[in-house]
């Protein structure tokens, strides 16, 4: 497959490359001199490139004072470019002096935003759109694109899954609008909408994109912005645009290298060997069998499995313009080791973008290709829990031990005690779990402006996203973790597993766009069609280490299609009143022909108040715009496969056969299905005000939104006997999210030497389930969710009508006069004289009531200093580490082993687990300083050809919280065994040549 | 705008071209493991495989085994199997079982304070209705009309008609469970297509009639007893289920149907089944060979893997640090299930403490000096540590017991472990000579050997052991002989003792006799008499060999069905969550009747007998006593057949006068414990809820407390009350 893909690419690129060498004619010339400056600061731009459009090989660069001298003929077009600035074209006239002020490219982003199927001037946007460009990205050792955005945009809450290298993150835009279906936003990379599913063997599917290649993110939040993506847009859209070469610019080489050192931070506060021994001996005084299991070692198990680790990251980019064709090529390499031993990630990325222009600028072709190879090694996260619970008086290793030399809890006959805690280090070291992934994303976009009707253009985008993963898991049969013996006592355990996955997503988009100004009106009409195919295939094979027993041998192959028709009308009157209508009709193969098509309309108006005569001349107000929008978006990203409406039968695996007579029969199971399953629909109302004061020294926006999801795709109990399952994915229930967002950006200083910008955003979101089942039984409590560790099938959360999703459902703890919780004593909330399940109540939820982001950037001469952080308020976390390890009843298990407890066990003195006490639901509000960075720029080294930038940064600098667990940031709200987030120190070196 | 027109045609053509891709939306599954219902039934072989799933629905949790692709959701998959939930619902709320786990609302079962939100009750209910839905789907798709439509005829059609009858039996079985546990329940048949609707609630009595008519209708269509493949239902399975239905009819529909019960029991009894000679054979890894099993749920360690079912029943019963998982054919215990004292009393009516009444011997930290006794009986190995005698006072005077299997066994003494210093007896004169001649013991037997090394003398004496004393049948006048097991080196006697005292003595004389000074579990020559506090039957063991000499006196039952593990287990349950509180049960094992382990140490080969002949015997006797006709003499014979097997002789047989309903209930406990009938039995006798019969922790009180009568039925789960507005909750919930 790989070879095919590259040969396809080869076919595409060869003709394009040929174009690079087409020569151009020269003209009669005159000498022109001038200055190139920064349009904002007036500062001279050193090293800016000046070239001839007709012959980019002819050019010069500006000197130390920004001046240049260049020869050109009258009528020739000169191109002025500088990295980070918008390229300008100036036609040479009679004058011999030409001063050019270039606008910083970051202004491009705030000036023009990428929207679905096109771009728009930010000032003309009617929807809620936030754009974030590379200069505003978070800094630090970043391998996952999501992390660039954390805390940067109001309404966008990003929580990483933990501290593993390349870890994924959960992104929620304005709360989740779905229940069982995905709540992830749609992510569109250079015009390719990705599928939301993961790639086998990758922690984070977005890792295919090197953060160094990303130019900007655009976040579409309200329906008038997102509805153009129809059925996939209910949870917002994030558009990622990668960097490109600038037309006419000279070749530039950029090297960006980082070395990072990840340090283990806090660990769970468990009893140390001394405390443990004292507590245990007191607890089991007189119980000889219990006392004799105590060991004599002093092992800090968490320290055994965690270690500080190094990582490094390099990228090399080549940007420029070959003739009329801007290009950018980059290579990246990252090698990161996790702080949990054995976890690592190694990644190579390559990206190429070519943007040739033909036919006198009428035909623009944009070619993007991104390739990635990632090698991951996964550490068994079960080791984190084992390290908390392992008896600290036991040694890590035993001499001549049969389980890889590691200490394990054994039966008298030498076999392991199967229910005992496993040696955490053995769990890591005796498991080799690796995956290698190749991924290639590429598209060719052809944009043709009709010669006879330049107002009309046609755009065709053909894209593909291929991935190919291979992984294996290997555990020797001597390892305790998968130990098994046959009836004769021979080892038959261990794991020898391998898996493969191939994914192929294909896209064809075509649209026509007509833009025309009629007097004071401007009309922009777009209509198009989109076809997308998602295909995946894979297998999983698992045998014991000796490959004598096959435990699993499954394969799968599945696909789905989306076909859509869409259109948009933008109308502006007198550049004051803006109107947008969009309509999309989506067909999905995941639904039956009767329910297949969904229609998603939206409408929005905006009023540029600033343009009104009463404000036009008020200098203090530089921008004021009111936006109102309404729209319907959909959700089809369901979790139960590609054929939920079809009646299907599934064969059993070899290990789930049934004996008839003396033979075993492979069974055929009918699957449950809902033939009437259809789209989930979210209606969004949005009102927003964009403001700018004092020449936009202060700018931002404030918005209110109300989103109601109907026909929620939700897994609910079916009336017993009516389906071939007890719970079905169907359309039932309603959910409301409402909230207020506010963002402000202030440029406190903006002079040549001193520049200081401070940004802040805050979002209040409230989530409420308004309907849950087909019937309205007042006694129906809701759907129990949120499985916890401890016991099997215990849950701590509930979806209940009238409350936020995932609310905690617990008993109200009674405390003694000293404020200490009393074991097993709860408030009899229903007053029936006894404590039963009916006394549980809804108590907070994991989503923050408000979350904020703040950041600051200070430049002084060649120095720059920046930091960014976040505050979450009112997010609650169930401390499952304490509830599971905070009681002493099981310190000695009669099977013959002992376990450790957390310090909280000493405080409460509780004996038996009290999982449902609200004592364990804790306020996890926090302030986290995500990164701090200090940098110094050395300019004009090596004969003024080289810029050098050095930086030092700290990621995850500190967290302030009252939460007693390891880390207050737990997306699910259930703090189990989180991969600890390290504090990362990083040294960066950037060279521009 | 005119010039637009020709291009708009082009655009239209483009759009139409793309629009043809709309047909891509009609996808069908690509995975070869998936078939759509439109085609699955075109192949006659598929019917057999769907039928297999109907049966497998009782055993496995999903299509992957042991876990994965679960059948039902909303609960941990391992917990979700039909048999596991059935076992928990039928056993944990009774005197027969408690469980040490704190999973969700699991404890509510034994506390008898469950609510409609309980996830385990919900899982049981969901399993039953999943099973009913599977059956309905198969029955719907295998009608004659559908077969004709698909062109299936001839032998294929005949076979499938038979499968359909089996599926209807299986549906009746699950509806029986629904009726028994939940009362008035939703009623769905093959007439209702899969989809969103609200089933009507059927009254328990009407469901009774439906189940009865269904079984009677399919009975003639099923193979004769034992004529179907193992694992599949036949007519005897129908009759057994009908007998159960009728025996409990008073509970289900208000009137007695004991005559019908007797009729169907008679049919099963005459069908050619017989009791397995050994009771425990029914619960071992090769119980598929038991002649007693009428309808099993099958399991296999290699091909039918699950974390529920028998894997659960066997693993959960093993725990603590003394029980050896390997003895049960498994790799580890899960430390879960035990029995209550009330249940132990079915076998040991007056037991108040541990089964072992003798003091527990605590081994010495270090051993005594030993003298090796190499000889022809052990391969002349002067280093063998198991054939030694020892000097308890370390004074050079050695004593010990050794077993010589053959006559004329020769031996010597070695101050080993080598021949460097060895002694024999030149001239057989009782004095030892260095490197002397071999000593010869003329007879085979168990010898007491003494050596006085400083004096270079020795003696050896063949011993046979017995018990004598006021506690024994012959008083202090004559011994009760013990028997020796050469494999373990232990002398054993199983005796009825009365309150009194006893001693051990050899060779029917007092020359060599042992009692227990200090009541510490070690024996001394001429030691104190050993007391027996209570009358009862006891197993007495004597372990000599090398000092210390030890013994145990353990309460015994002649009833071999009392399969308890008691060492380190307390009779009383002070903490439900402590495995050591409550006797453990050794009834089910993943070991065959010949002592070999099952095919896998995690997943078991042992099947579960949903119906077996002994149950039918007990039902017959009970129905006769309840006035169902039949003959009381046959009832007595059947009960005594069970007791003869249990006692291995007729000593446990009862007289007709002893055959009462009360006796039957207790006998059912002794015979059928942990086989999923207890809850139904106690309800039939009016002893489940209420205060007529209390056992430990019933009603969440250590001594047991009366409970509300609503608990005779489980509640309809809250999930279904919420999902189906037609349902009315059971009274009291």
């Amino acid at each position: 497959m790989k070879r095919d893909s590259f040969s396809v690419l080869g076919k595409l690129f060869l003709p394009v490359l040929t174009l690079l060498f087409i020569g151009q004619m020269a003209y009669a010339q005159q000498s022109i001199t001038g200055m190139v400056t920064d349009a904002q600061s007036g500062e001279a731009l050193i090293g800016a490139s000046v070239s001839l459009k007709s012959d980019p090989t002819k050019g010069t660069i500006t000197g130390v004072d920004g001046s240049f001298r260049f020869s050109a003929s009258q009528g020739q077009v000169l191109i002025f470019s500088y990295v980070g600035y918008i390229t300008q074209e100036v036609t040479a006239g009679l004058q011999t002096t030409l001063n050019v002020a270039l606008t910083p490219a970051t202004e491009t982003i705030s000036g023009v935003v990428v929207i679905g199927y096109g771009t728009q001037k930010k000032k003309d946007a009617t929807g809620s759109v936030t754009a974030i460009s590379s200069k505003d990205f978070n800094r630090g050792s970043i391998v996952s694109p999501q992390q660039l955005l954390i805390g940067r945009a109001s309404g966008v809450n990003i929580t990483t899954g933990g501290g593993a290298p390349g870890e994924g993150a959960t992104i929620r835009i304005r709360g989740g609008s779905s229940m069982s279906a995905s709540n992830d936003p749609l992510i569109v990379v250079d015009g390719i909408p990705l599928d939301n599913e993961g790639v086998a063997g990758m922690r984070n599917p977005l890792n295919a994109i090197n953060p160094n290649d990303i130019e900007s993110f655009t976040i579409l939040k309200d329906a008038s912005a997102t509805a153009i993506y129809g059925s996939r847009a209910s949870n917002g859209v994030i558009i990622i645009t990668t960097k490109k070469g600038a037309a006419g610019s000279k070749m530039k080489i950029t090297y960006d290298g980082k070395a990072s050192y990840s340090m283990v931070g806090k660990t769970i506060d468990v009893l140390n060997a001394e405390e443990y021994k004292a507590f245990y001996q007191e607890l089991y005084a007189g119980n000889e069998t219990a006392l004799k299991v105590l060991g004599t070692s002093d092992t800090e198990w968490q320290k055994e499995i965690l270690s500080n680790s190094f990582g490094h990251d390099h990228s090399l980019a080549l940007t420029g313009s070959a003739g009329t064709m801007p290009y950018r090529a980059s290579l990246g390499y990252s090698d990161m080791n996790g702080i949990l031993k054995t976890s690592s990630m190694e990644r190579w990325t390559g990206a190429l973008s070519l943007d040739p222009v033909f036919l006198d600028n009428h035909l623009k072709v944009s070619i993007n290709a991104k390739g990635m190879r990632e090698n991951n090694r996964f550490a068994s996260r079960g080791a984190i829990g084992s390290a908390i619970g392992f008896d600290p008086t036991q040694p890590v290793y035993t001499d001549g031990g049969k389980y890889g030399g590691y200490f394990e809890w054994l039966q008298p006959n030498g076999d392991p005690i199967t229910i005992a805690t496993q040696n955490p280090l053995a769990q890591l070291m005796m498991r080799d779990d690796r995956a290698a992934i190749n991924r290639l994303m590429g598209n060719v976009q052809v944009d043709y402006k009709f010669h006879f009707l330049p107002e009309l253009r046609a755009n065709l985008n053909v894209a593909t996203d291929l991935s190919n993963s291979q992984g294996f898991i290997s555990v020797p049969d001597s390892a305790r973790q998968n130990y098994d013996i046959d009836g004769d006592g021979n080892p038959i355990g261990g794991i020898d597993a391998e898996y493969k996955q191939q994914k192929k997503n294909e896209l064809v988009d075509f649209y026509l766009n007509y833009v025309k100004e009629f007097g004071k009106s401007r009309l922009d009409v777009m209509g198009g069609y989109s076809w997308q195919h998602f295909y995946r295939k894979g297998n999983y094979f698992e045998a014991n280490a000796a490959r004598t027993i096959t435990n699993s041998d499954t394969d799968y192959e599945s696909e789905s299609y989306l076909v859509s028709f869409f259109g948009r009308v933008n109308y502006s009157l007198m550049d004051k009143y803006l109107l947008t209508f969009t309509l999309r009709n989506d067909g999905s193969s995941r639904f039956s022909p009767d329910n297949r098509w969904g229609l998603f309309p939206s409408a929005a108006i905006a009023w540029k108040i600033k343009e009104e005569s009463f404000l036009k001349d008020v200098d203090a107000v530089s921008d004021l715009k009111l936006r109102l929008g309404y729209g319907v978006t959909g959700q089809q990203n369901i979790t139960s496969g590609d054929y939920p409406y079809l009646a299907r039968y599934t064969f059993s695996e070899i290990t789930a056969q049934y004996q008839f007579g003396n033979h075993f029969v492979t069974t055929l199971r009918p699957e449950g299905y809902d033939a009437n399953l259809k789209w989930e629909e979210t209606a969004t109302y949005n009102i927003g005000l964009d403001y700018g004061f004092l020449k936009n020294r202060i700018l931002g926006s404030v918005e209110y939104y109300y989103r109601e999801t109907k026909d929620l795709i939700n897994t609910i109990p079916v009336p017993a006997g009516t389906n071939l399952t007890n719970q079905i994915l169907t359309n039932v229930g309603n959910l409301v999210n409402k909230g207020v967002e506010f963002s402000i950006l202030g440029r406190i200083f903006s002079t040549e030497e001193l520049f200081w910008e401070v940004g802040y955003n805050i979002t209040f979101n409230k989530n409420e389930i308004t309907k849950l089942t087909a019937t309205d039984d007042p006694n129906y409590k809701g759907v129990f969710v949120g499985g916890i560790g401890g016991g099997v099938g215990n849950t701590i959360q509930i979806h209940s009508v009238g409350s936020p999703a995932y609310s905690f459902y617990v008993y109200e703890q009674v405390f003694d006069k000293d404020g200490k919780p009393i074991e097993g004593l709860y408030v009899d909330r229903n007053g029936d004289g006894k404590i039963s399940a009916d006394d549980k109540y809804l108590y907070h939820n994991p989503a923050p009531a408000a979350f904020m982001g703040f950041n600051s950037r200070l430049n002084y001469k060649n120095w720059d200093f920046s930091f960014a952080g976040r505050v979450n308020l009112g997010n609650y976390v169930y401390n499952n580490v304490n509830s599971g390890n905070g009681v002493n009843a099981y310190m000695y298990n009669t099977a013959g082993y002992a376990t450790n407890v957390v310090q909280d066990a000493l405080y409460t003195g509780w004996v038996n687990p009290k999982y449902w006490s609200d004592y364990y639901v804790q306020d996890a509000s926090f302030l986290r300083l995500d990164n701090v960075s200090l940098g110094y720029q050395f300019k004009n080294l090596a004969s003024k050809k080289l810029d050098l930038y050095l930086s030092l940064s700290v990621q995850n600098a500190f967290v302030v919280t009252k939460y007693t667990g390891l880390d207050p940031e737990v997306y699910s709200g259930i703090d189990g065994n989180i991969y600890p987030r390290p504090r990362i120190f990083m040294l960066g070196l950037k060279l521009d040549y | 705008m005119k010039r637009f027109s020709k291009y708009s045609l082009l655009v239209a053509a483009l759009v139409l071209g793309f629009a043809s891709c709309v047909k891509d939306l009609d996808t069908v599954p690509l995975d070869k493991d998936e078939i759509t219902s439109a085609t699955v039934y075109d192949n006659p072989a598929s019917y057999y495989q769907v039928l297999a799933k109907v049966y497998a629905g009782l055993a496995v949790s999903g299509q992957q085994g042991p876990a994965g692709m679960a059948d039902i959701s909303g609960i941990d998959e391992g917990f979700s199997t039909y048999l596991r939930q059935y076992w928990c619902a039928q056993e944990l709320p009774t005197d027969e079982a408690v469980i040490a786990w704190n999973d969700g609302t699991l404890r509510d079962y034994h506390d008898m304070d469950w609510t409609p939100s309980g996830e385990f009750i919900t899982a049981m209910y969901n399993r039953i209705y999943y099973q009913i839905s599977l059956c309905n789907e198969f029955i719907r798709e295998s009608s004659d009309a559908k077969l004709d439509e698909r062109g299936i005829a001839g032998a294929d059609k005949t076979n499938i008609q038979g499968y359909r009858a089996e599926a209807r039996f299986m549906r009746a079985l699950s509806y029986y469970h629904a009726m028994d546990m939940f009362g008035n329940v939703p009623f769905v048949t093959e007439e209702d297509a899969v989809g969103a609707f609200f089933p009507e609630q059927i009254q328990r009595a009407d469901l009774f009639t439906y189940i009865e008519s269904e079984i009677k209708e399919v009975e003639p269509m099923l193979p004769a007893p034992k004529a179907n493949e193992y694992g599949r239902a036949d007519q005897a399975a129908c009759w057994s289920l009908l007998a159960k239905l009728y025996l409990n009819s008073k509970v289900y529909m208000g009137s007695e149907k004991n005559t019908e019960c007797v009729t169907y029991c008679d049919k099963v009894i005459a069908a050619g089944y017989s009791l397995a000679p050994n009771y425990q054979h029914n619960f071992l890894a090769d119980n598929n060979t038991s002649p007693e099993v009428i309808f099993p749920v099958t399991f296999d360690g290699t091909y039918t893997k699950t974390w529920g079912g028998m894997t659960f029943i066997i693993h959960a019963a093993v725990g603590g640090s003394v029980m050896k998982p390997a003895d049960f054919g498994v790799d580890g215990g899960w430390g879960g299930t035990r029995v209550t004292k009330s249940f132990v009393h079915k076998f040991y009516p007056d037991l108040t403490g541990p089964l072992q009444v003798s003091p527990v011997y605590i081994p010495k930290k270090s051993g005594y000096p030993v003298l090796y006794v190499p000889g022809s009986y052990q391969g002349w190995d002067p280093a063998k540590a198991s054939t030694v005698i020892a000097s308890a006072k370390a004074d050079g005077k050695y004593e010990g017991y050794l077993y010589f299997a053959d006559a004329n066994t020769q031996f010597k003494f070695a101050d080993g472990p080598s021949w460097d210093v060895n002694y024999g007896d030149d001239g057989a004169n009782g004095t030892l000579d260095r490197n002397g001649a071999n000593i010869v013991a003329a007879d085979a037997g168990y010898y007491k050997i003494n050596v006085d090394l400083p004096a270079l003398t020795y003696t050896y004496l063949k011993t046979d052991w017995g018990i004598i004393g006021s506690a024994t049948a012959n008083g202090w006048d004559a011994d009760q002989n013990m028997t020796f097991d050469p494999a373990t080196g232990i002398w054993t006697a199983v005796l009825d003792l009365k309150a009194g005292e006893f001693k051990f003595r050899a060779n029917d004389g007092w020359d060599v006799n042992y009692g227990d000074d200090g009541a510490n579990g070690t024996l001394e020559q001429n030691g104190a008499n050993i007391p027996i506090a209570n009358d009862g039957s006891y197993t007495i063991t004597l372990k000599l060999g090398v000092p210390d000499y030890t013994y145990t006196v353990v309460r015994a039952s002649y009833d071999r069905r009392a399969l308890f593990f008691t060492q380190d287990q307390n009779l009383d349950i002070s903490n439900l969550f402590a495995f050591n509180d409550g006797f453990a049960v050794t009834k089910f094992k993943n070991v065959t009747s010949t002592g070999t382990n099952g095919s896998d140490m995690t997943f078991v080969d042992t099947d579960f007998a949903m119906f077996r002949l002994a149950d039918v015997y007990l039902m017959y006797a009970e129905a006769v006593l309840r006035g169902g006709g039949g003959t009381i003499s046959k009832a007595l014979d059947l009960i005594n057949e069970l007791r003869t097997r249990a006692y291995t002789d007729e000593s446990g047989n009862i007289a007709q006068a002893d055959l009462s309903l009360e006796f039957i209930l207790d006998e059912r406990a002794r015979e059928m414990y942990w086989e999923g009938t207890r809850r139904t039995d106690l309800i039939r006798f009016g002893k489940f809820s209420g205060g007529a019969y209390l056992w430990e922790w019933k009603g969440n009180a250590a001594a047991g407390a009366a409970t509300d009568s609503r608990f005779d039925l489980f509640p309809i789960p809250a999930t279904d009350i919420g999902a189906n507005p037609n349902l009315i909750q059971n009274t009291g919930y």
Side-chain angles (χ1 to χ4, degrees), chain A residues 160-236:
Chain A
T160 58
E167 182 73 58
T170 309
I171 307 177
R172 291 292 173 266
I173 297 178
R174 293 181 167 181
S177 68
S178 297
M179 300 270 289
S180 298
S182 168
N183 275 314
D184 297 331
L186 173 68
I187 293 173
V188 181
V189 180
D190 288 335
I192 313 173
L194 304 183
D195 72 353
N196 275 0
E197 281 143 41
V199 173
M202 275 182 95
R203 295 184 180 93
N204 179 359
L206 273 190
N207 281 356
I209 304 154
N210 185 338
N212 289 314
D213 288 337
I214 296 176
E215 175 66 32
S216 73
F217 290 92
T218 307
I219 301 156
L220 312 182
K221 294 193 282 199
D222 75 341
S224 89
T226 61
I228 198 69
Y229 286 108
S231 64
R232 304 180 66 189
S234 268
N235 290 297

Side-chain angles (χ1 to χ4, degrees), chain B residues 354-388:
Chain B
L355 281 186
Q356 178 170 336
V357 299
S358 57
V360 176
Y361 165 71
I362 298 159
K364 297 280 184 297
K365 284 216 167 78
S366 54
Y368 304 120
V370 298
L371 189 66
Y372 293 79
V373 192
S376 59
Y377 71 104
Q378 51 91 282
W380 291 109
D381 179 359
K384 195 164 179 180
S386 60
T387 49
V388 295

Side-chain angles (χ1 to χ4, degrees), chain A residues 670-960:
Chain A
E671 301 295 318
Y673 63 97
D674 178 5
N676 297 316
L677 191 67
K678 62 177 176 108
W679 310 100
E680 169 181 303
E681 289 189 352
T682 301
T684 305
Y685 302 82
N686 194 80
I687 176 165
L689 184 72
D690 297 335
Y691 63 85
F693 300 111
L694 308 173
K695 293 185 178 165
N696 278 352
R697 289 276 290 268
I698 298 169
L699 55 87
S701 64
V702 55
E703 310 213 27
Y704 169 81
Y705 59 87
Y706 178 90
R707 309 168 66 200
E708 182 169 20
T709 308
K710 287 182 181 159
D711 296 328
L712 273 172
I713 295 180
N714 200 0
T715 304
I716 59 152
V718 298
T722 60
N723 212 314
L724 292 156
T725 176
N726 62 317
Q727 295 190 340
I728 196 88
L729 194 73
T730 188
N731 299 93
V732 67
N734 297 341
L735 181 74
V736 168
N737 275 289
K738 50 192 168 189
V740 175
E741 295 172 5
F742 171 75
S743 69
I744 185 163
L745 179 73
R747 293 195 181 113
I748 297 167
F749 296 101
S750 185
T751 69
E752 208 170 313
E753 288 207 321
L754 179 64
F755 177 83
W756 187 22
E757 184 178 84
V758 179
Y760 170 80
N761 65 71
I762 180 166
T763 307
F764 300 88
N765 185 68
K766 194 170 182 313
N767 170 288
E768 185 187 338
I769 298 169
T770 51
K771 184 172 166 45
L772 201 54
T773 52
T775 68
D776 288 314
D777 175 31
N779 296 318
Y780 184 62
K781 296 212 160 39
V783 182
F784 299 107
V785 290
I788 57 171
V792 175
N794 288 342
T795 59
I796 199 73
Q797 292 166 325
I798 191 169
H799 292 326
S800 182
V801 171
S803 299
Y806 299 99
S807 292
F808 295 108
Y809 192 55
V810 287
Y811 292 113
E812 186 177 352
Q813 180 67 48
V814 173
F815 294 82
D816 68 12
K817 61 180 181 352
D818 303 324
K820 214 169 165 179
I822 303 169
E823 178 168 6
L825 207 56
Y826 305 122
V827 175
D828 180 14
R829 291 183 66 97
N830 67 357
D832 66 350
K834 57 176 187 171
I835 300 300
S836 68
D838 295 333
D839 291 303
K840 284 190 187 173
Y841 75 119
L842 290 144
Y843 181 66
H844 296 296
N845 72 90
F851 57 92
M852 309 171 210
F854 57 89
N855 52 72
S856 157
R857 187 160 62 97
L858 177 70
N859 288 38
Y860 177 69
K861 292 187 174 165
N862 286 350
W863 290 93
D864 71 87
F865 174 72
S866 66
F867 63 85
R870 281 170 302 137
V871 175
N872 271 21
L873 294 176
N875 53 309
Y876 280 72
V877 168
Y878 174 71
N879 192 333
N880 203 180
V881 173
N882 277 5
S883 70
N885 302 280
V887 295
N888 62 45
Y890 303 115
M891 286 184 78
Y892 171 67
N893 185 301
T894 54
Y897 67 94
T899 49
N900 200 357
V901 292
V902 295
Q903 292 285 353
D904 194 52
L906 297 184
Y907 171 67
T908 63
W910 288 4
V911 178
N912 280 303
K914 295 288 176 281
Y915 297 119
W916 294 279
S917 166
D918 64 6
Y919 171 67
Y920 293 117
V921 177
Q922 301 175 351
D923 186 347
S925 299
F926 66 88
L927 180 155
R928 185 190 294 274
L929 192 66
D930 286 308
N931 53 65
V932 189
S933 174
L934 179 68
Y936 186 83
Q937 176 103 35
F938 298 91
K939 287 192 170 177
N940 305 317
L941 302 176
S943 324
K944 299 185 180 174
K945 283 181 175 169
L946 185 70
D947 284 349
L948 170 72
Y949 178 74
L950 280 177
S951 67
L952 179 68
S953 63
V954 186
Q955 204 186 5
N956 188 22
F958 62 83
V959 184
V960 180

Side-chain angles (χ1 to χ4, degrees), chain B residues 60-123:
Chain B
V60 300
S61 62
Q63 290 302 78
Q64 210 155 299
M69 298 164 75
D71 294 332
I72 66 167
S73 47
I75 185 159
D76 173 77
E77 190 179 336
F79 271 96
S80 78
T81 73
Y82 198 109
L83 180 61
R84 181 170 181 166
Q85 284 309 326
Y86 175 71
W87 192 94
C88 289
Q90 289 286 76
E91 295 292 347
L92 291 182
T94 74
D95 55 344
E96 282 184 0
V98 296
I99 194 157
W101 306 338
N102 195 17
D103 299 308
T105 57
L106 192 57
R107 184 184 169 151
D108 291 0
Y109 266 142
H110 198 73
D111 291 344
M112 216 182 271
D113 57 5
W114 49 73
T115 68
S117 318
E119 68 268 41
F120 299 101
I121 289 168
T122 305

